[in-house]
């Protein structure tokens, strides 16, 4: 894989959104032009996308945020995940490459009803656009339907060898359906069917209850100082 040098800045410390009482700092890519190939290399280095911004936590006194990904060819369904698929067999899904008004309406309800105690409350159209959309890498949208009713959306970045799960949201009336898990399983299934290698899940944060679920997808890989390693065994992997 070809590589190129990029300019990187660091933010001022600010209150951490994930661990109360902590301060957070971010490395921020400062490039006027970014494409999918470069972004895929940056993903492998632990960076993420928020709108057009590409960042990576770099906190002097905390390493709680751990980049986590799945090798989709190694992923094995757990009993619970098999039940999730079975219990949602009546639903169907499709891929769209266009943001629709229905997406935001569903997102707004999800944030305002499920995350009223979080930093994204209250939801707004400008916040949605700034968070999820990108000028240089328009995301795809995995839409889940109950008959004709849109009930969930997984916003996903599509690259040559990987998917990056940006954010998922769903109709709060379907909370018992485990739709968050279902959308990860769909992303993994779709990535594998298209010959991709990885599904990036963002940051695993064990100290935050809402961000600690990603270890349920096994065998996962964690980015450490020694590179990507498998699960709790921390078996070194080549990149």
């Amino acid at each position: 894989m070809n590589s190129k040098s990029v300019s990187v800045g660091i933010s001022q410390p600010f209150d951490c959104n994930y661990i109360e009482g902590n301060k957070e700092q971010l490395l921020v890519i400062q490039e006027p032009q970014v494409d999918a190939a470069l972004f895929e290399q940056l993903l492998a280095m632990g960076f993420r996308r928020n709108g057009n911004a590409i960042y990576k936590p770099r906190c002097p006194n905390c390493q709680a945020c751990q980049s986590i990904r799945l090798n989709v060819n190694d992923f094995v369904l757990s009993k619970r995940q098999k039940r999730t698929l079975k219990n949602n067999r009546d639903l169907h899904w499709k891929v769209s490459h266009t943001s629709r008004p229905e997406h935001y309406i569903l997102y707004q309800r999800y944030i305002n009803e499920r995350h009223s105690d979080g930093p994204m409350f209250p939801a707004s159209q400008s916040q949605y656009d700034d968070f999820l959309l990108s000028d240089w890498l328009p995301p795809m949208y995995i839409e889940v339907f109950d008959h004709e009713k849109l009930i969930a959306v997984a916003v996903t970045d599509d690259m040559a060898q990987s998917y990056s799960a940006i954010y998922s949201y769903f109709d709060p009336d379907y909370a018992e359906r485990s739709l968050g898990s279902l959308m990860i399983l769909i992303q993994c299934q779709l990535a594998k069917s298209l010959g991709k290698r990885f599904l990036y899940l963002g940051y695993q944060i064990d100290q935050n209850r809402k961000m600690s679920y990603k270890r349920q997808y096994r065998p996962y890989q964690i980015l450490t100082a020694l590179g990507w390693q498998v699960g709790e065994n921390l078996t070194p992997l080549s990149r």
Side-chain angles (χ1 to χ4, degrees):
M1 180 184 296
N2 295 329
S3 60
K4 62 172 286 187
S5 61
V6 296
S7 299
V8 182
I10 190 165
S11 72
Q12 293 295 319
F14 57 94
D15 290 338
C16 180
N17 288 321
Y18 302 113
I19 302 177
E20 187 175 356
N22 280 18
K23 291 290 185 180
E24 183 177 358
Q25 279 188 283
L26 301 176
L27 293 179
V28 181
I29 299 297
Q30 298 178 317
E31 291 294 321
Q33 295 292 326
V34 179
D35 58 24
L38 174 58
F39 182 53
E40 190 163 32
Q41 293 182 53
L42 292 169
L43 276 173
M45 298 169 63
F47 285 86
R48 291 283 287 169
R49 176 180 75 78
N50 186 325
N52 286 321
I54 302 172
Y55 70 95
K56 177 181 180 180
R58 182 66 178 271
C59 306
N61 302 311
C62 179
Q63 288 78 45
C65 294
Q66 297 179 294
S67 295
I68 186 169
R69 72 184 183 185
L70 303 178
N71 183 322
V72 297
N73 294 302
D74 295 339
F75 173 64
V76 178
L77 290 167
S78 67
K79 291 182 179 179
R80 181 176 180 179
Q81 289 156 0
K82 289 178 181 178
R83 286 197 301 271
T84 295
L85 291 174
K86 181 178 179 180
N87 293 339
N88 289 291
R89 285 181 299 179
D90 58 322
L91 306 179
H92 66 279
W93 59 271
K94 68 178 183 180
V95 173
S96 171
H97 293 278
T98 304
S99 179
R100 303 190 284 117
E102 293 88 344
H103 293 168
Y104 171 69
I105 292 170
L106 186 60
Y107 170 87
Q108 181 183 47
R109 187 174 170 211
Y110 173 78
I111 293 297
N112 292 348
E113 293 188 27
R114 300 269 302 183
H115 295 285
S116 59
D117 60 341
M120 295 191 293
F121 176 84
S124 69
Q125 182 70 60
S126 60
Q127 175 220 58
Y128 175 88
D129 293 345
D130 291 344
F131 172 35
L132 296 176
L133 305 186
S134 169
D135 296 330
W136 48 267
L137 184 60
M140 70 178 193
Y141 306 87
I142 299 175
E143 303 173 329
V144 181
F145 295 87
D146 181 3
H147 298 284
E148 300 304 314
K149 181 181 180 181
L150 177 68
I151 63 170
V153 177
V155 184
T156 311
D157 282 342
D158 180 7
M159 288 142 293
Q161 297 189 56
S162 57
Y163 280 157
S164 178
I166 301 300
Y167 197 69
S168 296
Y169 51 93
F170 56 84
D171 187 326
D173 291 343
Y174 289 75
E176 78 286 351
R177 290 277 198 153
S178 299
L179 294 181
S181 176
L182 177 66
M183 287 185 282
I184 291 178
L185 299 177
I186 292 173
Q187 287 170 312
C188 192
Q189 178 186 86
L190 183 59
K192 184 175 181 179
S193 72
L194 294 175
K196 299 184 187 294
R197 293 184 62 195
F198 300 114
L199 172 61
Y200 286 88
L201 296 177
Y203 299 116
Q204 167 68 24
I205 307 173
D206 292 334
Q207 293 92 324
N208 184 293
R209 179 181 58 82
K210 293 182 179 179
M211 298 289 289
S212 62
Y213 62 91
K214 298 169 187 176
R215 292 188 189 272
Q216 298 172 15
Y217 302 87
R218 299 171 179 265
Y220 56 82
Q221 300 178 5
I222 294 287
L223 182 59
T224 74
L226 300 177
W228 288 97
Q229 301 184 345
V230 177
E232 286 87 355
N233 294 329
L234 296 181
T235 304
L237 289 173
S238 58
R239 207 172 263 185

